Amino acid sequence: MVSSSSSRPLQLAGLFAKAAPAVMSVGLLLVAWELYANYSGIKPTILPAPSRVFEQAMLNREALIDNAIPTIRATLMGFACSLGAAFALSMLVDFFQPLRRALFPVFIVSQTLPLVAIAPLVVLWFGFGLTPKIMLVALVTFFPMLVALVQGYEATEVEIGQMLRAMGAGCWRVFVLARLPSALPYFFAGLRISITYAVVGAIFAEYAGAAKGLGIYMLNAKNNFRPDLVLAAVGVSAALTLILFGLTVLLQRLAMPWERIGRQPAGKGPGR
Amino acid sequence: MSRLELRHVRKAFGGLDVLADISLSVGAGEFVSILGPSGAGKSTLFQLLTGAEHGEGEMLFDDTPLDDHGRHFAFMPQRDALMPWRRILDNTTLGLEVQGVGRQAARARVAPLLAEFGLAGFERHFPAQLSGGMRQRAALLRTVVQERDMLLLDEPFGALDALTRAAMQRWLEQMWRHHRWTALLITHDVREAVFLSDRIYVLSARPARVLREITVPLPRPRDPTGATAQQAGALEAEILDILLNPQPSKGHDHD
Ligand SMILES: Nc1ncnc2c1ncn2[C@@H]1O[C@H](COP(=O)(O)OP(=O)(O)O)[C@@H](O)[C@H]1O
Ligand SMILES: [Mg+2]
């Protein structure tokens, strides 16, 4: 890899500059919330101040971590399942175009199913274990991934395909050499979107019934009139989503070095 | 001795007549251009040759009919078609890789040509880091290392700015004198056709037919500034006139 180590501090500074507005707006929101909760006379059992949420989160950190682990597990396993299925089906659809017309309506319908109604049913059918969570996470993330991949293959430059065929490449070679790499940017765009769906999907499944998990933790806290703990769990799930999102960004940078390096002009002058 | 020979080739897409009647030949070690207006059907002709599309008429290579399996051509598409995710070196070895040549052997075949193609020192760069001219040279290198019988070049310099294009034409003429590839070049640039070619087929607008076959009598190395410049200029003017005022008797029709 030709990673330019000399520009690393500059990159970091740039990252901070980019993150600054977001950090500031979130900070302002927290300050406003804190002031409102403290001075409006609203009861902490209705709206706790962020400082109290944080305090309680620290006091209950063991329970929070304990409940976050099953959620993480369900998210990652469900996501892995949907990725595998989406990849296999995307290839099938790419090689046999008629299948696309037959299958896509089914997939689209699967996306319009209301999660609120489906989650309790899936729990009813498959119990309180890991299976229904994995299924729900897979259900909400599968279609965005499939569409991203199929669109990505289609984005292959026509000329590249023609050239490869003229070189003597068959369907499979064209797929591996051109269509798959062409789909990478689409794949990562889909990944970023569906990873956020995945966490929400897992929590929803737990909300509908689970032994452990952030979803059931939120439900119990709410039933015990502890909005501070509900919000603490929300904070944990938000952090989880952000971390997963960050990981996909990192993964994309590693997997597509040309996107980053390609933007920097070559060291020497153009042409000759 | 003619290697490629087309006799009365026709092609229609649905109801759209694209190639009306194309007959042409390319001899061994000859540089031939197909010159015609945009949308005439020039790229379509290459699609027929590479087997991407099928048309009517006879297409012979060394007196045997072309089929999908005889791979006589190294084809350079209209856009450079470099893969953005491959480094320049890996882009140039692509054709060899598809042929089944091992990575080391492929690189060894490309290596001695890198300097000649002005790419030495840029092997590890990605296409997006290169200038337009360098990208075209990389695409051309990817084409010639396949060592096929004949080069098919579809408007290789069409996307370049005028200055870079002129530089690339001079460079290609010089390269051709060293290597003597059998080449068929598509262009809509009259000057480019005259500067590079031994012979030129001037095509009509769609549906394309051959308006005129022109032998370029200019000596090589071609010198755009020397004594033959005037002769070249006269030839260019004559060809431009054929393109702009096609003979009605030759069956020019509007669409
Ligand atoms: N696969 C195709 N299907 C239908 N029409 C096509 C196809 N390929 C090319 N054409 C049409 O054929 C005509 C000639 O195209 P082309 O060969 O690319 O022209 P040129 O290369 O001379 O500019 C254009 O009108 C184009 O729309
Ligand atoms: Mg064309």
Side-chain angles (χ1 to χ4, degrees):
Chain A
M1 290 292 108
V2 211
S3 82
S4 40
S5 54
S6 60
S7 66
R8 178 109 338 134
L10 212 129
Q11 268 178 15
L12 264 182
L15 207 67
F16 279 129
K18 255 193 240 166
V23 170
M24 266 167 62
S25 65
V26 170
L28 268 176
L29 199 73
L30 286 176
V31 168
W33 175 4
E34 180 81 34
L35 290 175
Y36 183 78
N38 284 335
Y39 297 106
S40 70
I42 196 166
K43 280 189 230 154
T45 46
I46 304 293
L47 181 72
S51 60
R52 184 186 158 82
V53 172
F54 185 73
E55 190 185 65
Q56 288 302 313
M58 285 331 251
L59 281 176
N60 294 282
R61 62 177 178 277
E62 265 174 40
L64 279 170
I65 292 171
D66 205 31
N67 282 284
I69 287 168
T71 308
I72 296 173
R73 190 183 299 140
T75 304
L76 293 182
M77 287 178 76
F79 202 61
C81 286
S82 95
L83 258 189
F87 189 59
L89 256 164
S90 73
M91 277 176 62
L92 207 67
V93 164
D94 197 53
F95 280 96
F96 307 101
Q97 291 288 332
L99 264 182
R100 184 173 173 171
R101 256 163 288 147
L103 290 179
F104 258 58
V106 181
F107 299 147
I108 291 172
V109 167
S110 81
Q111 290 312 290
T112 61
L113 302 176
L115 206 55
V116 201
I118 289 298
L121 278 182
V122 176
V123 171
L124 183 72
W125 295 332
F126 296 96
F128 293 105
L130 196 56
T131 321
K133 280 102 199 162
I134 291 177
M135 287 186 62
L136 274 174
V137 171
L139 186 75
V140 292
T141 56
F142 166 74
F143 190 70
M145 287 319 302
L146 180 73
V147 170
L149 284 168
V150 170
Q151 275 187 341
Y153 302 148
E154 293 294 310
T156 309
E157 224 184 293
V158 180
E159 279 87 354
I160 290 184
Q162 279 177 4
M163 176 188 70
L164 281 171
R165 282 173 189 287
M167 285 170 172
C171 280
W172 178 247
R173 289 307 279 285
V174 173
F175 181 80
V176 172
L177 287 172
R179 296 182 80 79
L180 202 55
S182 297
L184 274 180
Y186 292 77
F187 169 78
F188 280 109
L191 200 63
R192 283 198 298 272
I193 294 170
S194 45
I195 201 86
T196 58
Y197 291 176
V199 178
V200 175
I203 288 176
F204 222 103
E206 290 164 355
Y207 213 85
K212 246 187 202 176
L214 284 178
I216 200 71
Y217 185 86
M218 286 175 198
L219 189 65
N220 288 336
K222 192 207 81 170
N223 290 341
N224 294 331
F225 305 103
R226 290 296 302 273
D228 49 349
L229 288 183
V230 174
L231 288 170
V234 167
V236 171
S237 84
L240 191 63
T241 307
L242 275 178
I243 289 169
L244 288 175
F245 190 89
L247 279 178
T248 62
V249 173
L250 197 73
L251 199 66
Q252 177 165 20
R253 292 187 132 225
L254 290 177
M256 302 175 58
W258 63 92
E259 280 279 288
R260 198 161 27 97
I261 300 170
R263 295 218 186 84
Q264 304 157 5
K268 294 170 209 173
R272 164 176 89 161
Chain B
M1 196 52 243
S2 88
R3 299 211 76 181
L4 178 69
E5 174 120 27
L6 303 189
R7 294 186 192 140
H8 306 295
V9 169
R10 305 160 62 87
K11 173 69 188 170
F13 287 111
L16 184 74
D17 276 334
V18 175
L19 301 176
D21 180 10
I22 305 290
S23 298
L24 58 80
S25 66
V26 181
E30 197 180 19
F31 197 114
V32 175
S33 287
I34 294 176
L35 178 64
S38 285
K42 306 184 295 298
S43 297
T44 303
L45 191 62
F46 275 10
Q47 291 192 348
L48 297 185
L49 290 175
T50 56
E53 294 283 349
H54 294 273
E56 297 156 57
E58 263 185 297
M59 303 197 292
L60 305 173
F61 200 91
D62 291 341
D63 294 324
T64 40
L66 279 178
D67 59 26
D68 293 347
H69 303 292
R71 308 224 163 261
H72 300 290
F73 308 111
F75 167 51
M76 177 169 166
Q78 192 159 349
R79 280 183 280 170
D80 58 43
L82 292 173
M83 295 178 168
W85 55 87
R86 284 185 163 230
R87 295 174 191 277
I88 290 302
L89 186 62
D90 300 324
N91 261 296
T92 54
T93 56
L94 181 68
L96 299 173
E97 202 180 309
V98 171
Q99 283 175 33
V101 178
R103 170 186 282 232
Q104 290 309 318
R107 290 187 169 184
R109 261 163 77 175
V110 168
L113 292 165
L114 283 166
E116 229 183 328
F117 280 71
L119 294 167
F122 290 89
E123 300 91 331
R124 306 280 301 151
H125 284 73
F126 286 109
Q129 293 173 282
L130 302 195
S131 67
M134 293 183 85
R135 291 175 61 110
Q136 292 302 324
R137 287 199 298 268
L140 208 59
L141 178 53
R142 175 192 62 203
T143 313
V144 302
V145 290
Q146 296 173 39
E147 294 185 357
R148 302 284 193 192
D149 299 325
M150 183 170 167
L151 303 181
L152 301 179
L153 311 176
D154 192 348
E155 300 195 22
F157 311 135
L160 302 177
D161 64 272
L163 207 58
T164 312
R165 192 187 314 152
M168 290 290 292
Q169 287 162 359
R170 291 184 188 199
W171 170 81
L172 182 60
E173 204 267 334
Q174 180 196 339
M175 291 292 290
W176 181 82
R177 273 187 280 114
H178 288 166
H179 295 274
R180 294 281 162 173
W181 301 301
T182 304
L184 187 57
L185 172 96
I186 283 177
T187 180
H188 57 240
D189 181 340
V190 178
R191 180 164 264 174
E192 178 169 290
V194 170
F195 183 71
L196 290 172
S197 318
D198 297 316
R199 274 185 311 120
I200 302 171
Y201 288 95
V202 183
L203 298 197
S204 70
R206 197 187 71 216
R209 62 188 74 237
V210 177
L211 289 175
R212 190 83 65 87
E213 179 195 337
I214 288 164
T215 303
V216 181
L218 305 172
R220 293 188 189 259
R222 296 278 159 85
D223 181 0
T225 56
T228 55
Q230 213 175 357
Q231 205 182 341
L235 194 57
E236 285 164 20
E238 185 191 331
I239 294 172
L240 203 58
D241 195 51
I242 297 169
L243 279 167
L244 296 178
N245 308 302
Q247 299 299 309
S249 62
K250 289 266 181 181
H252 169 251
D253 43 7
H254 281 283
D255 49 334

